[in-house]
Amino acid sequence: MEGQFWKPQEDGVKEICGLLQESSVPSLDHTRVWQQLQRCNQSPDFNNYLTFILCQAEGQSVEVRQAAGLLLKNNLKSSYQSTSSAHQQYIKKELLTSLGISDRHLRATVGTAISVIAQQRHIQGWPELFQVILQCLESNDYNHMEGALDTLYKISEDIPEVVDVPAFLERPINVFLPHLLQFFSSPQAVLRKLALGSVNQFIPLMPTALCMNMDKFLQGLFLLANDSIADVRKLVCAGLVQLIEVQPSYLQPHMKNVIEYMLQANHDTDEEVALESCEFWSAFCEAQLPREMLREFLPCLIPVLLSNMTYADDDDTLLDAEVPAGCLKICFALWCFSLKYCMLSAMFYLVGDDDNEPDRDKDIKPRFHQSRLHGGVDGGEEDEDGGDIVNSWNLRKCSAAGLDNLSIFYGDEILLILMPLVQAKLSNSSDEAWKEREAAVLALGAIAEGCMQGLLPHMSQIVAFLVPLLEDQRPLIRSITCWTLSRYSKWIVQAAGHPDGQAQFDNVLTGLLRRILDSNKRVQEAACSAFATLEEEAAEELAPRLEPILRHLMYAFGKYQRKNLRILYDAIGTLADAVGGQLNEVKYLEILMPPLINKWQHLPDSDKDLFPLLECLTSIAQALGSGFAQYAEPVYLRCINLIRIQEVAKADPGRAGVAYDKEFIVCSLDLLSGLAEGLGSSIENLVSRSDLRDLLLQCCGDEAPDVRQSALALLGDLAKACAFHLEPRLADFLSLAAKQLGSEVKDNVSVANNACWAIGEIAVKIGKDISPIVMSVLSCLVPILSNAQGLNRSLLENSAITLGRLGWVCPDIVAPHMDHFMKPWCSALRTIRDDVEKEDAFRGLCAMVHLLSQVGEILQFFLHIV
């Protein structure tokens, strides 16, 4: 039977419970159990059985019932929509009935399952949901109140907006909010926590009900500010941080008390509370509130931040960075023999030398390739803590970020408070105070952007002080010094124009190169990242020093483990970008290329370590230009093969022998773009002997935006280098490119940007043959230029250039529509640097003006705008 009359078969319950029980036994064959559960899952009422076991199978263990609930949750996510209406009703009814089930683990699982159903946008068809939650909240029974609050919290966390949508004549939040605020004073800590956590979820939406009850909410926050439970205090801090981010005006009348509380919370014995409160300082600066509000507290706040930037004694990072696994084994053995003196000596000599230890897979973070963007401005956020010294966000990093934001907000004003503290810490040379010195170096790096003007007269002394710290015996001091020096790269490079500055630049460069060869992997990472930053600033300054730089980098290439090798690839690629064609000398190529090509040849087609190598070779190919020709063919053919393999894997991984991963396609397309850009028309010989054109067409229509983005970049580069090889499928290419400029352009701006650029490049090459798509492209570009507010600058510039190029080759089609785009078009062109592309656009303007009969009016209009 179905729906409310459905009843489980006893044998079915026993079978499923038995399988769930077996799944929790480590020694059993879980594959067999999983297959049997999947077989059961084919039954239309399997989810009903799971619901029954979760809610009513009182004879089963909590573990089995919870496992049934978790499996139900996953099934509801994937198949609730296809479940029959009668079965849906049974599941919803049983779950609501069990909101107050006696076991808290089962209550939590019931709440999770209800939230999943709510996420399926079935709120409107489930009037009982909020009615039952309200009844439970008003029941005065702890289990029911906790179950209802837990469910409401989960719904608010996943889909807070549904609680503020009119449902059954009333917005649910209007009914629930007064109850939630009442629970702030509950004697039960769990209820206080769930109630506050639920209200916090509504702050980003700032619904009317919350605005109207803001005074009561703030009173509740202040009531809970010194709660005995750390989780509640953490939520108080989180609520205040969200308020200052979303609607700071509500806090302004109370700001002095809030700041005093946050300062107190920064000292909380629970680090999570301290971390949450520390977020407040960055949020305050970003809210652009009056500086006077916080100014009087700076003498108290800055020492707190500096103190929290010091590594805690129990920080795992200290153990990982200072004593590698091999050293720990030696130390443990010596400790067992009570040879305390020998242990200390061993630690002193072996400290931090871990570069011979292979990286574990879990040490290597997933990487995400940034698809090639034409006309884009690269930008990334720097880590306030010097690379990967700490793998997760913590109080130390948050404090450094807070100091960074304060320095930007208050500028040199904070130096009078901060610098005496930093100098005191740096001047303490005792071995026990090394963590204080390290925090002081971190602080110098954190204020580099905001306080540069005030530090400028002292920069030479600061850099001179930092460089010797690159040789400190403590790996964490060496690594943070690398990062801090990188923060001053711009000044270091600018000062190199003077004799004294030149010597200091060389000292910094030499110091970083030495640290790239450090015996500690954390220092290697920090040094490589710092050197890449210096490279970007120094550019041609590096040319006279290329040989020693390359020798250091390629020596590191031979000793690095996998994780840091990825960062080294970036440093090599950045070097190529920085010095460009100056790298194209035989003596440099003999150092650089053999190790890279050797690695290229030995990495299998399925190895993800190919990604950073592909990116590195892309930069080198662009820098060397025709000088890369001797390496081009095997690299080109490998890229084609990688794309081909992945296209097969996409349809049939078994036949391809590898799992599908679009990153292989994206990185290969980008390297081919680099080859086309570097080799120019010389790439024609390679293209003519391959199926690149068909593969590229396939990629231009791929469902993945980053694949399309890179494919369209390559399309434009090939149009510049050898357009005639595209001609047999040119109409298809243009149709796919034009499609990217449609109504969904804001969702995939980078794809649209490259499509626009590619169309412009093709137009220049094929002239009037592009006329069939001109009007469809024009109908997309004009709205982009006319609605420029908030749009990506690169897209606007490429749209203006491509529109001009179309006007150049097809003035008869474009000119009649000039009155629709003239003003925004000129505005966009005005900010573009003078180059060939801008020249093409103005050729188009001239061609269109020449064509029109009322030349004087157009010229007058144009001059007025410009």
Side-chain angles (χ1 to χ4, degrees):
M1 286 194 178
E2 290 193 344
Q4 59 183 330
F5 304 110
W6 182 90
K7 292 188 182 302
Q9 298 293 319
E10 188 175 345
D11 290 345
V13 173
K14 284 184 178 178
E15 180 186 4
I16 295 170
C17 287
L19 291 171
L20 293 172
Q21 181 67 50
E22 289 182 45
S23 69
S24 65
V25 180
S27 59
L28 293 180
D29 181 5
H30 287 177
T31 303
R32 176 189 61 79
V33 173
W34 178 249
Q35 288 173 345
Q36 289 182 275
L37 283 171
Q38 288 299 99
R39 177 180 55 78
C40 294
N41 201 17
Q42 301 305 309
S43 173
D45 59 355
F46 180 58
N47 286 341
N48 289 26
Y49 274 97
L50 295 176
T51 304
F52 175 83
I53 294 168
L54 169 64
C55 299
Q56 294 194 36
E58 295 182 359
Q60 298 295 328
S61 68
V62 169
E63 290 75 19
V64 166
R65 295 174 69 182
Q66 191 174 18
L70 294 175
L71 185 54
L72 172 66
K73 174 202 74 172
N74 292 332
N75 284 354
L76 292 175
K77 279 184 177 180
S78 59
S79 61
Y80 183 80
Q81 303 284 6
S82 59
T83 302
S84 72
S85 175
H87 286 165
Q88 287 182 3
Q89 291 303 318
Y90 173 82
I91 293 168
K92 291 191 292 187
K93 175 178 175 294
E94 289 298 320
L95 290 173
L96 287 182
T97 304
S98 303
L99 261 181
I101 200 167
S102 59
D103 184 89
R104 66 184 180 89
H105 299 291
L106 297 181
R107 281 199 304 275
T109 306
V110 167
T112 300
I114 290 173
S115 175
V116 168
I117 295 175
Q119 288 177 59
Q120 308 297 316
R121 296 296 185 267
H122 276 258
I123 294 290
Q124 293 291 340
W126 197 3
E128 304 84 5
L129 172 60
F130 291 136
Q131 294 170 9
V132 172
I133 289 177
L134 182 60
Q135 291 167 9
C136 290
L137 291 177
E138 296 176 338
S139 69
N140 288 324
D141 175 79
Y142 176 81
N143 290 343
H144 283 83
M145 291 188 297
E146 195 256 12
L149 281 172
D150 180 65
T151 302
L152 191 56
Y153 173 81
K154 287 168 179 168
I155 292 173
S156 303
E157 182 180 36
D158 295 325
I159 43 173
E161 65 277 4
V162 305
V163 188
D164 190 37
V165 172
F168 325 116
L169 306 179
E170 182 67 276
R171 293 176 187 268
I173 192 172
N174 294 348
V175 177
F176 288 133
L177 188 59
H179 288 81
L180 292 172
L181 294 175
Q182 286 177 6
F183 278 109
F184 282 17
S185 57
S186 169
Q188 300 290 338
V190 172
L191 302 188
R192 299 196 301 272
K193 172 186 170 183
L194 289 171
L196 177 52
S198 297
V199 179
N200 279 356
Q201 304 294 343
F202 304 132
I203 293 175
L205 300 177
M206 200 52 71
T208 302
L210 182 56
C211 294
M212 294 177 64
N213 286 274
M214 184 56 66
D215 287 342
K216 291 181 180 178
F217 176 48
L218 290 175
Q219 289 171 14
L221 284 178
F222 299 146
L223 173 71
L224 297 172
N226 294 307
D227 198 279
S228 59
I229 303 301
D231 282 349
V232 175
R233 298 197 302 276
K234 176 183 173 184
L235 286 169
V236 170
C237 294
L240 292 170
V241 169
Q242 288 186 78
L243 277 173
I244 201 170
E245 289 175 339
V246 176
Q247 198 63 265
S249 59
Y250 286 121
L251 287 184
Q252 282 191 246
H254 315 280
M255 192 59 74
K256 184 172 183 178
N257 290 334
V258 170
I259 290 172
E260 288 174 345
Y261 172 70
M262 287 302 197
L263 276 169
Q264 172 192 318
N266 258 189
H267 291 291
D268 200 286
T269 53
D270 186 284
E271 184 167 333
E272 289 192 13
V273 176
L275 172 58
E276 197 64 55
S277 67
C278 192
E279 300 283 0
F280 183 82
W281 314 118
S282 291
F284 180 94
C285 296
E286 289 164 4
Q288 294 295 306
L289 290 165
R291 289 177 171 83
E292 291 72 23
M293 287 186 171
L294 185 58
R295 180 172 277 121
E296 66 176 287
F297 297 96
L298 292 178
C300 297
L301 172 58
I302 288 172
V304 170
L305 293 177
L306 190 56
S307 174
N308 286 340
M309 286 159 61
T310 305
Y311 279 114
D313 291 334
D314 59 350
D315 196 315
D316 290 341
T317 306
L318 297 179
L319 188 62
D320 292 344
E322 295 294 311
V323 189
C327 181
L328 281 174
K329 291 175 184 176
I330 295 173
C331 293
F332 180 72
L334 294 174
W335 175 81
C336 291
F337 286 103
S338 300
L339 298 177
K340 188 174 294 185
Y341 174 78
C342 293
M343 181 182 77
L344 292 172
S345 299
M347 287 184 68
F348 180 81
Y349 287 110
L350 295 174
V351 65
D353 295 345
D354 63 349
D355 59 335
N356 289 322
E357 292 184 17
D359 291 328
R360 299 165 296 180
D361 287 339
K362 70 177 184 178
D363 295 329
I364 302 174
K365 292 181 181 178
R367 60 169 303 287
F368 301 96
H369 173 75
Q370 186 175 354
S371 298
R372 190 173 172 86
L373 181 66
H374 269 284
V377 180
D378 292 334
E381 294 184 3
E382 286 191 79
D383 188 340
E384 286 86 358
D385 200 9
D388 193 33
I389 295 170
V390 180
N391 290 315
S392 59
W393 190 245
N394 57 21
L395 182 58
R396 168 185 160 85
K397 280 191 169 186
C398 189
S399 300
L403 184 59
D404 185 0
N405 280 298
L406 284 172
S407 75
I408 294 169
F409 195 51
Y410 287 98
D412 299 338
E413 183 179 339
I414 71 167
L415 292 177
L416 292 174
I417 304 167
L418 177 66
M419 289 311 291
L421 301 172
V422 168
Q423 288 169 348
K425 288 178 181 292
L426 291 175
S427 62
N428 188 344
S429 58
S430 67
D431 192 54
E432 295 78 16
W434 74 266
K435 286 180 285 186
E436 301 289 323
R437 295 196 301 276
E438 193 274 348
V441 176
L442 170 57
L444 285 174
I447 64 172
E449 181 181 352
C451 298
M452 178 53 81
Q453 286 304 311
L455 293 173
L456 209 54
H458 314 286
M459 276 309 305
S460 183
Q461 297 96 307
I462 291 173
V463 173
F465 179 83
L466 289 171
V467 170
L469 293 182
L470 291 170
E471 305 294 330
D472 195 278
Q473 71 177 37
R474 298 283 183 176
L476 289 177
I477 289 184
R478 299 199 298 273
S479 58
I480 201 61
T481 302
C482 290
W483 176 76
T484 296
L485 282 168
S486 76
R487 297 273 286 174
Y488 293 103
S489 289
K490 189 168 187 176
W491 179 88
I492 292 169
V493 171
Q494 287 175 349
H498 307 287
D500 292 343
Q502 186 74 53
Q504 196 162 66
F505 174 81
D506 285 328
N507 289 338
V508 172
L509 180 65
T510 302
L512 290 178
L513 289 174
R514 284 172 57 82
R515 294 288 60 82
I516 283 173
L517 301 182
D518 201 278
S519 56
N520 180 275
K521 288 192 281 190
R522 290 179 184 272
V523 180
Q524 293 171 359
E525 177 184 4
C528 266
S529 297
F531 182 67
T533 303
L534 185 67
E535 288 175 317
E536 291 174 345
E537 293 291 343
E540 66 275 0
E541 285 287 337
L542 299 175
R545 304 162 176 85
L546 265 176
E547 186 167 347
I549 290 173
L550 287 170
R551 292 199 182 280
H552 277 80
L553 294 179
M554 302 322 291
Y555 185 84
F557 191 83
K559 69 178 285 186
Y560 274 17
Q561 303 297 332
R562 288 176 59 209
K563 179 183 175 184
N564 284 350
L565 198 56
R566 296 181 173 195
I567 301 167
L568 182 61
Y569 283 131
D570 180 63
I572 295 170
T574 304
L575 177 65
D577 294 336
V579 300
Q582 294 176 94
L583 192 61
N584 194 14
E585 290 190 26
V586 173
K587 62 179 179 179
Y588 300 148
L589 297 182
E590 286 177 347
I591 302 170
L592 174 66
M593 293 307 297
L596 293 175
I597 295 299
N598 183 60
K599 179 69 74 173
W600 169 261
Q601 292 170 342
H602 285 87
L603 285 174
D605 290 338
S606 59
D607 195 327
K608 294 185 179 182
D609 286 343
L610 271 172
F611 298 155
L613 178 53
L614 284 160
E615 292 175 354
C616 177
L617 288 173
T618 300
S619 293
I620 292 172
Q622 289 173 286
L624 295 183
S626 59
F628 197 80
Q630 58 184 307
Y631 314 104
E633 184 167 3
V635 170
Y636 176 91
L637 294 175
R638 178 81 178 276
C639 288
I640 296 292
N641 193 49
L642 286 170
I643 297 171
R644 195 182 292 127
I645 289 171
Q646 289 301 316
E647 290 294 348
V648 173
K650 189 175 180 182
D652 186 353
R655 185 160 67 92
V658 297
Y660 173 70
D661 189 334
K662 64 182 180 181
E663 288 276 293
F664 285 100
I665 299 178
V666 172
C667 291
S668 296
L669 288 169
D670 287 349
L671 179 46
L672 290 171
S673 276
L675 285 175
E677 188 174 328
L679 298 177
S681 59
S682 300
I683 200 173
E684 183 273 330
N685 187 44
L686 297 171
V687 175
S688 65
R689 293 184 285 121
S690 72
D691 58 347
L692 174 59
R693 182 178 59 228
D694 296 332
L695 287 173
L696 180 58
L697 185 63
Q698 204 169 343
C699 292
C700 285
D702 198 279
E703 67 271 15
D706 42 356
V707 173
R708 297 200 305 275
Q709 180 180 334
S710 291
L712 289 161
L714 177 56
L715 176 64
D717 283 319
L718 288 177
K720 292 171 69 175
C722 51
F724 60 92
H725 279 297
L726 302 173
E727 286 181 7
R729 306 299 298 271
L730 198 53
D732 296 326
F733 277 119
L734 286 169
S735 175
L736 284 171
K739 186 179 177 183
Q740 309 308 314
L741 300 174
S743 57
E744 297 181 358
V745 64
K746 286 189 176 180
D747 296 329
N748 293 297
V749 170
S750 297
V751 179
N753 180 80
N754 284 1
C756 184
W757 174 79
I759 291 170
E761 291 296 337
I762 292 171
V764 171
K765 288 293 184 180
I766 68 172
K768 286 189 173 292
D769 289 346
I770 203 169
S771 58
I773 68 146
V774 168
M775 280 308 300
S776 64
V777 174
L778 198 63
S779 65
C780 295
L781 296 184
V782 172
I784 289 173
L785 289 171
S786 301
N787 301 285
Q789 191 69 31
L791 272 181
N792 177 276
R793 191 186 77 187
S794 179
L795 177 59
L796 292 173
E797 292 179 356
N798 273 323
S799 297
I801 288 168
T802 295
L803 197 153
R805 285 174 157 178
L806 292 174
W808 183 22
V809 299
C810 298
D812 53 323
I813 300 176
V814 181
H817 306 281
M818 284 181 72
D819 56 327
H820 295 295
F821 62 79
M822 188 69 176
K823 189 171 182 178
W825 183 61
C826 289
S827 296
L829 284 173
R830 184 176 53 192
T831 60
I832 302 175
R833 67 185 181 279
D834 294 336
D835 60 8
V836 173
E837 293 180 346
K838 186 172 183 177
E839 183 181 333
D840 288 348
F842 277 97
R843 286 179 186 274
L845 174 65
C846 294
M848 290 185 287
V849 168
H850 179 71
L851 188 71
L852 292 175
S853 57
Q854 298 177 335
V855 177
E857 290 183 20
I858 293 294
L859 281 175
Q860 186 178 7
F861 180 49
F862 172 69
L863 290 171
H864 172 71
I865 293 174
V866 173

